PDB file of all heavy atoms in Angstrom:
ATOM      1  N   ILE V   1     -15.326 -10.200  -1.285  1.00 86.00           N
ATOM      2  CA  ILE V   1     -15.377  -9.303  -0.120  1.00 86.00           C
ATOM      3  C   ILE V   1     -15.363 -10.107   1.171  1.00 86.00           C
ATOM      4  O   ILE V   1     -14.682  -9.764   2.143  1.00 86.00           O
ATOM      5  CB  ILE V   1     -16.603  -8.381  -0.207  1.00 86.00           C
ATOM      6  CG1 ILE V   1     -16.467  -7.430  -1.411  1.00 86.00           C
ATOM      7  CG2 ILE V   1     -16.757  -7.567   1.073  1.00 86.00           C
ATOM      8  CD1 ILE V   1     -17.712  -6.624  -1.704  1.00 86.00           C
ATOM      9  N   LYS V   2     -16.102 -11.229   1.185  1.00 85.00           N
ATOM     10  CA  LYS V   2     -16.129 -12.070   2.386  1.00 85.00           C
ATOM     11  C   LYS V   2     -14.771 -12.717   2.660  1.00 85.00           C
ATOM     12  O   LYS V   2     -14.481 -13.116   3.788  1.00 85.00           O
ATOM     13  CB  LYS V   2     -17.195 -13.151   2.241  1.00 85.00           C
ATOM     14  CG  LYS V   2     -18.619 -12.650   2.435  1.00 85.00           C
ATOM     15  CD  LYS V   2     -19.616 -13.795   2.370  1.00 85.00           C
ATOM     16  CE  LYS V   2     -21.025 -13.325   2.692  1.00 85.00           C
ATOM     17  NZ  LYS V   2     -22.016 -14.430   2.628  1.00 85.00           N
ATOM     18  N   SER V   3     -13.915 -12.816   1.632  1.00 88.00           N
ATOM     19  CA  SER V   3     -12.594 -13.411   1.837  1.00 88.00           C
ATOM     20  C   SER V   3     -11.703 -12.540   2.720  1.00 88.00           C
ATOM     21  O   SER V   3     -10.693 -13.006   3.247  1.00 88.00           O
ATOM     22  CB  SER V   3     -11.906 -13.637   0.486  1.00 88.00           C
ATOM     23  OG  SER V   3     -11.377 -12.422  -0.042  1.00 88.00           O
ATOM     24  N   GLY V   4     -12.048 -11.259   2.839  1.00 87.00           N
ATOM     25  CA  GLY V   4     -11.259 -10.352   3.666  1.00 87.00           C
ATOM     26  C   GLY V   4     -10.236  -9.535   2.916  1.00 87.00           C
ATOM     27  O   GLY V   4      -9.604  -8.642   3.479  1.00 87.00           O
ATOM     28  N   GLY V   5     -10.048  -9.841   1.634  1.00 89.00           N
ATOM     29  CA  GLY V   5      -9.127  -9.039   0.838  1.00 89.00           C
ATOM     30  C   GLY V   5      -7.678  -9.199   1.256  1.00 89.00           C
ATOM     31  O   GLY V   5      -7.249 -10.262   1.696  1.00 89.00           O
ATOM     32  N   TYR V   6      -6.920  -8.109   1.137  1.00 93.00           N
ATOM     33  CA  TYR V   6      -5.462  -8.146   1.277  1.00 93.00           C
ATOM     34  C   TYR V   6      -4.991  -7.639   2.635  1.00 93.00           C
ATOM     35  O   TYR V   6      -3.909  -7.040   2.729  1.00 93.00           O
ATOM     36  CB  TYR V   6      -4.836  -7.338   0.147  1.00 93.00           C
ATOM     37  CG  TYR V   6      -4.967  -8.001  -1.200  1.00 93.00           C
ATOM     38  CD1 TYR V   6      -6.038  -7.702  -2.047  1.00 93.00           C
ATOM     39  CD2 TYR V   6      -4.046  -8.940  -1.623  1.00 93.00           C
ATOM     40  CE1 TYR V   6      -6.159  -8.317  -3.281  1.00 93.00           C
ATOM     41  CE2 TYR V   6      -4.148  -9.562  -2.852  1.00 93.00           C
ATOM     42  CZ  TYR V   6      -5.215  -9.250  -3.682  1.00 93.00           C
ATOM     43  OH  TYR V   6      -5.338  -9.872  -4.902  1.00 93.00           O
ATOM     44  N   ARG V   7      -5.716  -7.921   3.665  1.00 90.00           N
ATOM     45  CA  ARG V   7      -5.355  -7.397   4.983  1.00 90.00           C
ATOM     46  C   ARG V   7      -4.037  -7.966   5.510  1.00 90.00           C
ATOM     47  O   ARG V   7      -3.459  -7.425   6.465  1.00 90.00           O
ATOM     48  CB  ARG V   7      -6.482  -7.688   5.973  1.00 90.00           C
ATOM     49  CG  ARG V   7      -6.708  -9.173   6.249  1.00 90.00           C
ATOM     50  CD  ARG V   7      -7.835  -9.396   7.228  1.00 90.00           C
ATOM     51  NE  ARG V   7      -9.109  -8.992   6.670  1.00 90.00           N
ATOM     52  CZ  ARG V   7     -10.258  -9.022   7.343  1.00 90.00           C
ATOM     53  NH1 ARG V   7     -10.282  -9.417   8.597  1.00 90.00           N
ATOM     54  NH2 ARG V   7     -11.385  -8.653   6.772  1.00 90.00           N
ATOM     55  N   TYR V   8      -3.552  -9.051   4.924  1.00 93.00           N
ATOM     56  CA  TYR V   8      -2.359  -9.742   5.420  1.00 93.00           C
ATOM     57  C   TYR V   8      -1.044  -9.193   4.857  1.00 93.00           C
ATOM     58  O   TYR V   8       0.039  -9.662   5.211  1.00 93.00           O
ATOM     59  CB  TYR V   8      -2.445 -11.232   5.068  1.00 93.00           C
ATOM     60  CG  TYR V   8      -2.597 -11.503   3.579  1.00 93.00           C
ATOM     61  CD1 TYR V   8      -1.493 -11.602   2.745  1.00 93.00           C
ATOM     62  CD2 TYR V   8      -3.870 -11.641   3.017  1.00 93.00           C
ATOM     63  CE1 TYR V   8      -1.637 -11.824   1.391  1.00 93.00           C
ATOM     64  CE2 TYR V   8      -4.028 -11.876   1.661  1.00 93.00           C
ATOM     65  CZ  TYR V   8      -2.906 -11.975   0.856  1.00 93.00           C
ATOM     66  OH  TYR V   8      -3.069 -12.196  -0.485  1.00 93.00           O
ATOM     67  N   LEU V   9      -1.090  -8.209   3.952  1.00 95.00           N
ATOM     68  CA  LEU V   9       0.113  -7.804   3.218  1.00 95.00           C
ATOM     69  C   LEU V   9       1.034  -6.855   3.971  1.00 95.00           C
ATOM     70  O   LEU V   9       2.231  -6.820   3.703  1.00 95.00           O
ATOM     71  CB  LEU V   9      -0.284  -7.140   1.893  1.00 95.00           C
ATOM     72  CG  LEU V   9      -0.581  -8.032   0.702  1.00 95.00           C
ATOM     73  CD1 LEU V   9      -0.856  -7.171  -0.522  1.00 95.00           C
ATOM     74  CD2 LEU V   9       0.552  -9.006   0.431  1.00 95.00           C
ATOM     75  N   GLY V  10       0.495  -6.050   4.850  1.00 93.00           N
ATOM     76  CA  GLY V  10       1.257  -4.944   5.432  1.00 93.00           C
ATOM     77  C   GLY V  10       2.619  -5.335   5.973  1.00 93.00           C
ATOM     78  O   GLY V  10       3.638  -4.688   5.682  1.00 93.00           O
ATOM     79  N   ASP V  11       2.671  -6.410   6.753  1.00 95.00           N
ATOM     80  CA  ASP V  11       3.936  -6.818   7.372  1.00 95.00           C
ATOM     81  C   ASP V  11       4.898  -7.447   6.375  1.00 95.00           C
ATOM     82  O   ASP V  11       6.086  -7.626   6.688  1.00 95.00           O
ATOM     83  CB  ASP V  11       3.665  -7.820   8.504  1.00 95.00           C
ATOM     84  CG  ASP V  11       2.941  -7.173   9.672  1.00 95.00           C
ATOM     85  OD1 ASP V  11       3.005  -5.936   9.804  1.00 95.00           O
ATOM     86  OD2 ASP V  11       2.304  -7.909  10.451  1.00 95.00           O
ATOM     87  N   ARG V  12       4.425  -7.778   5.178  1.00 96.00           N
ATOM     88  CA  ARG V  12       5.272  -8.459   4.183  1.00 96.00           C
ATOM     89  C   ARG V  12       5.917  -7.487   3.192  1.00 96.00           C
ATOM     90  O   ARG V  12       6.832  -7.862   2.464  1.00 96.00           O
ATOM     91  CB  ARG V  12       4.434  -9.497   3.428  1.00 96.00           C
ATOM     92  CG  ARG V  12       3.828 -10.566   4.323  1.00 96.00           C
ATOM     93  CD  ARG V  12       2.932 -11.508   3.528  1.00 96.00           C
ATOM     94  NE  ARG V  12       3.678 -12.169   2.472  1.00 96.00           N
ATOM     95  CZ  ARG V  12       3.111 -12.775   1.429  1.00 96.00           C
ATOM     96  NH1 ARG V  12       1.791 -12.759   1.308  1.00 96.00           N
ATOM     97  NH2 ARG V  12       3.858 -13.364   0.513  1.00 96.00           N
ATOM     98  N   ILE V  13       5.460  -6.252   3.175  1.00 97.00           N
ATOM     99  CA  ILE V  13       5.969  -5.288   2.198  1.00 97.00           C
ATOM    100  C   ILE V  13       7.487  -5.089   2.304  1.00 97.00           C
ATOM    101  O   ILE V  13       8.175  -4.985   1.278  1.00 97.00           O
ATOM    102  CB  ILE V  13       5.195  -3.957   2.311  1.00 97.00           C
ATOM    103  CG1 ILE V  13       3.766  -4.169   1.765  1.00 97.00           C
ATOM    104  CG2 ILE V  13       5.887  -2.823   1.568  1.00 97.00           C
ATOM    105  CD1 ILE V  13       2.804  -3.040   2.012  1.00 97.00           C
ATOM    106  N   PRO V  14       8.081  -5.071   3.514  1.00 97.00           N
ATOM    107  CA  PRO V  14       9.548  -4.928   3.577  1.00 97.00           C
ATOM    108  C   PRO V  14      10.317  -6.082   2.924  1.00 97.00           C
ATOM    109  O   PRO V  14      11.520  -5.944   2.693  1.00 97.00           O
ATOM    110  CB  PRO V  14       9.817  -4.876   5.088  1.00 97.00           C
ATOM    111  CG  PRO V  14       8.544  -4.366   5.681  1.00 97.00           C
ATOM    112  CD  PRO V  14       7.462  -4.979   4.842  1.00 97.00           C
ATOM    113  N   HIS V  15       9.638  -7.185   2.604  1.00 97.00           N
ATOM    114  CA  HIS V  15      10.311  -8.334   1.996  1.00 97.00           C
ATOM    115  C   HIS V  15      10.357  -8.255   0.468  1.00 97.00           C
ATOM    116  O   HIS V  15      10.930  -9.148  -0.175  1.00 97.00           O
ATOM    117  CB  HIS V  15       9.629  -9.629   2.432  1.00 97.00           C
ATOM    118  CG  HIS V  15       9.650  -9.855   3.904  1.00 97.00           C
ATOM    119  ND1 HIS V  15      10.810 -10.089   4.617  1.00 97.00           N
ATOM    120  CD2 HIS V  15       8.647  -9.871   4.823  1.00 97.00           C
ATOM    121  CE1 HIS V  15      10.531 -10.240   5.895  1.00 97.00           C
ATOM    122  NE2 HIS V  15       9.221 -10.116   6.048  1.00 97.00           N
ATOM    123  N   ILE V  16       9.771  -7.208  -0.114  1.00 98.00           N
ATOM    124  CA  ILE V  16       9.835  -7.044  -1.567  1.00 98.00           C
ATOM    125  C   ILE V  16      11.282  -6.767  -1.969  1.00 98.00           C
ATOM    126  O   ILE V  16      11.933  -5.878  -1.426  1.00 98.00           O
ATOM    127  CB  ILE V  16       8.921  -5.887  -2.017  1.00 98.00           C
ATOM    128  CG1 ILE V  16       7.447  -6.234  -1.750  1.00 98.00           C
ATOM    129  CG2 ILE V  16       9.118  -5.571  -3.498  1.00 98.00           C
ATOM    130  CD1 ILE V  16       6.495  -5.073  -1.968  1.00 98.00           C
ATOM    131  N   THR V  17      11.788  -7.531  -2.932  1.00 97.00           N
ATOM    132  CA  THR V  17      13.186  -7.396  -3.339  1.00 97.00           C
ATOM    133  C   THR V  17      13.361  -6.593  -4.629  1.00 97.00           C
ATOM    134  O   THR V  17      14.462  -6.113  -4.910  1.00 97.00           O
ATOM    135  CB  THR V  17      13.817  -8.782  -3.538  1.00 97.00           C
ATOM    136  OG1 THR V  17      13.065  -9.506  -4.533  1.00 97.00           O
ATOM    137  CG2 THR V  17      13.812  -9.572  -2.242  1.00 97.00           C
ATOM    138  N   GLN V  18      12.297  -6.458  -5.396  1.00 97.00           N
ATOM    139  CA  GLN V  18      12.416  -5.778  -6.695  1.00 97.00           C
ATOM    140  C   GLN V  18      12.498  -4.261  -6.506  1.00 97.00           C
ATOM    141  O   GLN V  18      11.874  -3.706  -5.588  1.00 97.00           O
ATOM    142  CB  GLN V  18      11.210  -6.092  -7.579  1.00 97.00           C
ATOM    143  CG  GLN V  18      11.081  -7.544  -7.985  1.00 97.00           C
ATOM    144  CD  GLN V  18      10.314  -8.379  -6.973  1.00 97.00           C
ATOM    145  OE1 GLN V  18      10.066  -7.950  -5.847  1.00 97.00           O
ATOM    146  NE2 GLN V  18       9.920  -9.575  -7.378  1.00 97.00           N
ATOM    147  N   PRO V  19      13.236  -3.573  -7.389  1.00 97.00           N
ATOM    148  CA  PRO V  19      13.128  -2.111  -7.418  1.00 97.00           C
ATOM    149  C   PRO V  19      11.668  -1.719  -7.646  1.00 97.00           C
ATOM    150  O   PRO V  19      11.005  -2.275  -8.522  1.00 97.00           O
ATOM    151  CB  PRO V  19      14.009  -1.722  -8.604  1.00 97.00           C
ATOM    152  CG  PRO V  19      14.957  -2.863  -8.772  1.00 97.00           C
ATOM    153  CD  PRO V  19      14.193  -4.095  -8.384  1.00 97.00           C
ATOM    154  N   THR V  20      11.182  -0.777  -6.847  1.00 98.00           N
ATOM    155  CA  THR V  20       9.753  -0.456  -6.858  1.00 98.00           C
ATOM    156  C   THR V  20       9.548   1.048  -6.943  1.00 98.00           C
ATOM    157  O   THR V  20      10.135   1.810  -6.170  1.00 98.00           O
ATOM    158  CB  THR V  20       9.062  -0.991  -5.589  1.00 98.00           C
ATOM    159  OG1 THR V  20       9.259  -2.404  -5.512  1.00 98.00           O
ATOM    160  CG2 THR V  20       7.573  -0.694  -5.620  1.00 98.00           C
ATOM    161  N   LEU V  21       8.719   1.442  -7.896  1.00 98.00           N
ATOM    162  CA  LEU V  21       8.308   2.842  -8.027  1.00 98.00           C
ATOM    163  C   LEU V  21       6.931   3.001  -7.411  1.00 98.00           C
ATOM    164  O   LEU V  21       5.993   2.276  -7.765  1.00 98.00           O
ATOM    165  CB  LEU V  21       8.270   3.243  -9.498  1.00 98.00           C
ATOM    166  CG  LEU V  21       7.686   4.626  -9.815  1.00 98.00           C
ATOM    167  CD1 LEU V  21       8.551   5.737  -9.220  1.00 98.00           C
ATOM    168  CD2 LEU V  21       7.531   4.811 -11.324  1.00 98.00           C
ATOM    169  N   VAL V  22       6.801   3.936  -6.489  1.00 98.00           N
ATOM    170  CA  VAL V  22       5.511   4.261  -5.888  1.00 98.00           C
ATOM    171  C   VAL V  22       5.070   5.604  -6.448  1.00 98.00           C
ATOM    172  O   VAL V  22       5.731   6.627  -6.246  1.00 98.00           O
ATOM    173  CB  VAL V  22       5.610   4.328  -4.348  1.00 98.00           C
ATOM    174  CG1 VAL V  22       4.262   4.715  -3.743  1.00 98.00           C
ATOM    175  CG2 VAL V  22       6.100   2.994  -3.787  1.00 98.00           C
ATOM    176  N   LEU V  23       3.963   5.603  -7.176  1.00 98.00           N
ATOM    177  CA  LEU V  23       3.374   6.830  -7.719  1.00 98.00           C
ATOM    178  C   LEU V  23       2.119   7.150  -6.924  1.00 98.00           C
ATOM    179  O   LEU V  23       1.299   6.259  -6.676  1.00 98.00           O
ATOM    180  CB  LEU V  23       3.016   6.652  -9.195  1.00 98.00           C
ATOM    181  CG  LEU V  23       4.170   6.483 -10.181  1.00 98.00           C
ATOM    182  CD1 LEU V  23       3.635   6.226 -11.581  1.00 98.00           C
ATOM    183  CD2 LEU V  23       5.049   7.714 -10.173  1.00 98.00           C
ATOM    184  N   TRP V  24       1.936   8.436  -6.558  1.00 98.00           N
ATOM    185  CA  TRP V  24       0.787   8.770  -5.714  1.00 98.00           C
ATOM    186  C   TRP V  24       0.266  10.158  -6.077  1.00 98.00           C
ATOM    187  O   TRP V  24       1.029  11.120  -6.163  1.00 98.00           O
ATOM    188  CB  TRP V  24       1.185   8.771  -4.247  1.00 98.00           C
ATOM    189  CG  TRP V  24       0.086   8.283  -3.345  1.00 98.00           C
ATOM    190  CD1 TRP V  24      -0.957   9.006  -2.853  1.00 98.00           C
ATOM    191  CD2 TRP V  24      -0.073   6.947  -2.836  1.00 98.00           C
ATOM    192  NE1 TRP V  24      -1.761   8.219  -2.073  1.00 98.00           N
ATOM    193  CE2 TRP V  24      -1.240   6.941  -2.045  1.00 98.00           C
ATOM    194  CE3 TRP V  24       0.653   5.772  -2.977  1.00 98.00           C
ATOM    195  CZ2 TRP V  24      -1.692   5.798  -1.387  1.00 98.00           C
ATOM    196  CZ3 TRP V  24       0.201   4.633  -2.323  1.00 98.00           C
ATOM    197  CH2 TRP V  24      -0.952   4.656  -1.544  1.00 98.00           C
ATOM    198  N   GLY V  25      -1.046  10.233  -6.294  1.00 98.00           N
ATOM    199  CA  GLY V  25      -1.681  11.516  -6.470  1.00 98.00           C
ATOM    200  C   GLY V  25      -1.682  12.290  -5.168  1.00 98.00           C
ATOM    201  O   GLY V  25      -2.109  11.775  -4.129  1.00 98.00           O
ATOM    202  N   ASP V  26      -1.212  13.539  -5.203  1.00 97.00           N
ATOM    203  CA  ASP V  26      -1.001  14.252  -3.935  1.00 97.00           C
ATOM    204  C   ASP V  26      -2.289  14.704  -3.276  1.00 97.00           C
ATOM    205  O   ASP V  26      -2.273  15.159  -2.122  1.00 97.00           O
ATOM    206  CB  ASP V  26      -0.054  15.438  -4.137  1.00 97.00           C
ATOM    207  CG  ASP V  26      -0.608  16.506  -5.076  1.00 97.00           C
ATOM    208  OD1 ASP V  26      -1.654  16.268  -5.719  1.00 97.00           O
ATOM    209  OD2 ASP V  26       0.017  17.584  -5.173  1.00 97.00           O
ATOM    210  N   THR V  27      -3.444  14.587  -3.963  1.00 96.00           N
ATOM    211  CA  THR V  27      -4.722  14.947  -3.337  1.00 96.00           C
ATOM    212  C   THR V  27      -5.661  13.745  -3.297  1.00 96.00           C
ATOM    213  O   THR V  27      -6.880  13.909  -3.353  1.00 96.00           O
ATOM    214  CB  THR V  27      -5.395  16.120  -4.085  1.00 96.00           C
ATOM    215  OG1 THR V  27      -5.663  15.714  -5.443  1.00 96.00           O
ATOM    216  CG2 THR V  27      -4.513  17.354  -4.085  1.00 96.00           C
ATOM    217  N   ASP V  28      -5.095  12.535  -3.202  1.00 96.00           N
ATOM    218  CA  ASP V  28      -5.896  11.303  -3.145  1.00 96.00           C
ATOM    219  C   ASP V  28      -6.872  11.361  -1.972  1.00 96.00           C
ATOM    220  O   ASP V  28      -6.465  11.537  -0.823  1.00 96.00           O
ATOM    221  CB  ASP V  28      -4.954  10.098  -2.990  1.00 96.00           C
ATOM    222  CG  ASP V  28      -5.666   8.763  -3.162  1.00 96.00           C
ATOM    223  OD1 ASP V  28      -6.903   8.709  -3.010  1.00 96.00           O
ATOM    224  OD2 ASP V  28      -4.977   7.771  -3.451  1.00 96.00           O
ATOM    225  N   ARG V  29      -8.169  11.206  -2.279  1.00 92.00           N
ATOM    226  CA  ARG V  29      -9.206  11.192  -1.236  1.00 92.00           C
ATOM    227  C   ARG V  29      -9.752   9.790  -0.990  1.00 92.00           C
ATOM    228  O   ARG V  29     -10.658   9.619  -0.171  1.00 92.00           O
ATOM    229  CB  ARG V  29     -10.353  12.134  -1.627  1.00 92.00           C
ATOM    230  CG  ARG V  29      -9.969  13.608  -1.603  1.00 92.00           C
ATOM    231  CD  ARG V  29     -11.127  14.488  -2.018  1.00 92.00           C
ATOM    232  NE  ARG V  29     -11.413  14.360  -3.450  1.00 92.00           N
ATOM    233  CZ  ARG V  29     -12.456  14.934  -4.055  1.00 92.00           C
ATOM    234  NH1 ARG V  29     -13.327  15.640  -3.350  1.00 92.00           N
ATOM    235  NH2 ARG V  29     -12.630  14.791  -5.364  1.00 92.00           N
ATOM    236  N   ILE V  30      -9.203   8.783  -1.688  1.00 92.00           N
ATOM    237  CA  ILE V  30      -9.621   7.396  -1.491  1.00 92.00           C
ATOM    238  C   ILE V  30      -8.661   6.681  -0.541  1.00 92.00           C
ATOM    239  O   ILE V  30      -9.080   6.028   0.421  1.00 92.00           O
ATOM    240  CB  ILE V  30      -9.694   6.650  -2.834  1.00 92.00           C
ATOM    241  CG1 ILE V  30     -10.630   7.379  -3.809  1.00 92.00           C
ATOM    242  CG2 ILE V  30     -10.149   5.208  -2.621  1.00 92.00           C
ATOM    243  CD1 ILE V  30     -12.081   7.408  -3.404  1.00 92.00           C
ATOM    244  N   LEU V  31      -7.373   6.794  -0.819  1.00 93.00           N
ATOM    245  CA  LEU V  31      -6.334   6.236   0.046  1.00 93.00           C
ATOM    246  C   LEU V  31      -5.441   7.375   0.536  1.00 93.00           C
ATOM    247  O   LEU V  31      -4.895   8.128  -0.262  1.00 93.00           O
ATOM    248  CB  LEU V  31      -5.486   5.214  -0.709  1.00 93.00           C
ATOM    249  CG  LEU V  31      -6.092   3.825  -0.916  1.00 93.00           C
ATOM    250  CD1 LEU V  31      -5.171   2.967  -1.783  1.00 93.00           C
ATOM    251  CD2 LEU V  31      -6.352   3.127   0.411  1.00 93.00           C
ATOM    252  N   ASP V  32      -5.298   7.475   1.846  1.00 92.00           N
ATOM    253  CA  ASP V  32      -4.540   8.558   2.467  1.00 92.00           C
ATOM    254  C   ASP V  32      -3.117   8.605   1.897  1.00 92.00           C
ATOM    255  O   ASP V  32      -2.415   7.583   1.874  1.00 92.00           O
ATOM    256  CB  ASP V  32      -4.481   8.317   3.980  1.00 92.00           C
ATOM    257  CG  ASP V  32      -3.988   9.532   4.743  1.00 92.00           C
ATOM    258  OD1 ASP V  32      -3.104  10.251   4.231  1.00 92.00           O
ATOM    259  OD2 ASP V  32      -4.479   9.769   5.856  1.00 92.00           O
ATOM    260  N   PRO V  33      -2.663   9.762   1.426  1.00 94.00           N
ATOM    261  CA  PRO V  33      -1.280   9.872   0.936  1.00 94.00           C
ATOM    262  C   PRO V  33      -0.222   9.469   1.949  1.00 94.00           C
ATOM    263  O   PRO V  33       0.925   9.218   1.569  1.00 94.00           O
ATOM    264  CB  PRO V  33      -1.172  11.354   0.560  1.00 94.00           C
ATOM    265  CG  PRO V  33      -2.569  11.746   0.179  1.00 94.00           C
ATOM    266  CD  PRO V  33      -3.441  10.979   1.145  1.00 94.00           C
ATOM    267  N   GLN V  34      -0.585   9.385   3.240  1.00 95.00           N
ATOM    268  CA  GLN V  34       0.388   8.913   4.231  1.00 95.00           C
ATOM    269  C   GLN V  34       0.844   7.489   3.938  1.00 95.00           C
ATOM    270  O   GLN V  34       1.949   7.086   4.309  1.00 95.00           O
ATOM    271  CB  GLN V  34      -0.205   8.995   5.641  1.00 95.00           C
ATOM    272  CG  GLN V  34      -0.333  10.412   6.172  1.00 95.00           C
ATOM    273  CD  GLN V  34       1.012  11.125   6.237  1.00 95.00           C
ATOM    274  OE1 GLN V  34       2.015  10.562   6.680  1.00 95.00           O
ATOM    275  NE2 GLN V  34       1.040  12.375   5.776  1.00 95.00           N
ATOM    276  N   PHE V  35      -0.010   6.710   3.244  1.00 96.00           N
ATOM    277  CA  PHE V  35       0.401   5.360   2.879  1.00 96.00           C
ATOM    278  C   PHE V  35       1.591   5.389   1.924  1.00 96.00           C
ATOM    279  O   PHE V  35       2.417   4.471   1.911  1.00 96.00           O
ATOM    280  CB  PHE V  35      -0.762   4.594   2.251  1.00 96.00           C
ATOM    281  CG  PHE V  35      -1.834   4.187   3.226  1.00 96.00           C
ATOM    282  CD1 PHE V  35      -3.151   4.556   3.018  1.00 96.00           C
ATOM    283  CD2 PHE V  35      -1.518   3.428   4.338  1.00 96.00           C
ATOM    284  CE1 PHE V  35      -4.143   4.174   3.909  1.00 96.00           C
ATOM    285  CE2 PHE V  35      -2.510   3.048   5.240  1.00 96.00           C
ATOM    286  CZ  PHE V  35      -3.824   3.423   5.029  1.00 96.00           C
ATOM    287  N   ALA V  36       1.680   6.430   1.108  1.00 97.00           N
ATOM    288  CA  ALA V  36       2.823   6.550   0.196  1.00 97.00           C
ATOM    289  C   ALA V  36       4.130   6.637   0.982  1.00 97.00           C
ATOM    290  O   ALA V  36       5.149   6.021   0.610  1.00 97.00           O
ATOM    291  CB  ALA V  36       2.657   7.781  -0.696  1.00 97.00           C
ATOM    292  N   HIS V  37       4.108   7.388   2.071  1.00 96.00           N
ATOM    293  CA  HIS V  37       5.303   7.507   2.906  1.00 96.00           C
ATOM    294  C   HIS V  37       5.640   6.170   3.571  1.00 96.00           C
ATOM    295  O   HIS V  37       6.820   5.839   3.760  1.00 96.00           O
ATOM    296  CB  HIS V  37       5.099   8.586   3.957  1.00 96.00           C
ATOM    297  CG  HIS V  37       4.983   9.973   3.396  1.00 96.00           C
ATOM    298  ND1 HIS V  37       6.025  10.600   2.744  1.00 96.00           N
ATOM    299  CD2 HIS V  37       3.935  10.848   3.381  1.00 96.00           C
ATOM    300  CE1 HIS V  37       5.644  11.806   2.365  1.00 96.00           C
ATOM    301  NE2 HIS V  37       4.382  11.980   2.728  1.00 96.00           N
ATOM    302  N   ARG V  38       4.627   5.395   3.935  1.00 96.00           N
ATOM    303  CA  ARG V  38       4.889   4.081   4.529  1.00 96.00           C
ATOM    304  C   ARG V  38       5.561   3.158   3.523  1.00 96.00           C
ATOM    305  O   ARG V  38       6.492   2.421   3.858  1.00 96.00           O
ATOM    306  CB  ARG V  38       3.584   3.458   5.034  1.00 96.00           C
ATOM    307  CG  ARG V  38       3.026   4.109   6.285  1.00 96.00           C
ATOM    308  CD  ARG V  38       1.885   3.315   6.877  1.00 96.00           C
ATOM    309  NE  ARG V  38       2.302   1.992   7.347  1.00 96.00           N
ATOM    310  CZ  ARG V  38       1.479   1.122   7.924  1.00 96.00           C
ATOM    311  NH1 ARG V  38       0.194   1.419   8.073  1.00 96.00           N
ATOM    312  NH2 ARG V  38       1.916  -0.055   8.323  1.00 96.00           N
ATOM    313  N   PHE V  39       5.087   3.188   2.271  1.00 97.00           N
ATOM    314  CA  PHE V  39       5.756   2.394   1.240  1.00 97.00           C
ATOM    315  C   PHE V  39       7.216   2.817   1.099  1.00 97.00           C
ATOM    316  O   PHE V  39       8.115   1.978   1.023  1.00 97.00           O
ATOM    317  CB  PHE V  39       5.035   2.554  -0.102  1.00 97.00           C
ATOM    318  CG  PHE V  39       3.854   1.649  -0.293  1.00 97.00           C
ATOM    319  CD1 PHE V  39       2.573   2.167  -0.411  1.00 97.00           C
ATOM    320  CD2 PHE V  39       4.023   0.271  -0.381  1.00 97.00           C
ATOM    321  CE1 PHE V  39       1.474   1.335  -0.613  1.00 97.00           C
ATOM    322  CE2 PHE V  39       2.932  -0.572  -0.576  1.00 97.00           C
ATOM    323  CZ  PHE V  39       1.659  -0.042  -0.687  1.00 97.00           C
TER     324      PHE V  39
END
């Protein structure tokens, strides 16, 4: 937790080259479903 976790990833996501499936529960109360649209 003190390491700060994965806060550095956001700007790097567009560099993913592999075909990627994003699956999202439409009533997710832990992570906002808006993140699915960002992916």
Side-chain angles (χ1 to χ4, degrees):
I1 295 171
K2 284 184 175 180
S3 78
Y6 289 93
R7 65 180 66 183
Y8 57 86
L9 276 184
D11 292 339
R12 300 176 59 197
I13 289 170
H15 299 294
I16 294 171
T17 58
Q18 295 87 347
T20 302
L21 172 65
V22 178
L23 293 176
W24 215 277
D26 63 351
T27 61
D28 190 339
R29 291 179 289 174
I30 304 294
L31 282 175
D32 193 324
Q34 288 300 316
F35 288 124
H37 293 295
R38 288 190 64 179
F39 276 115

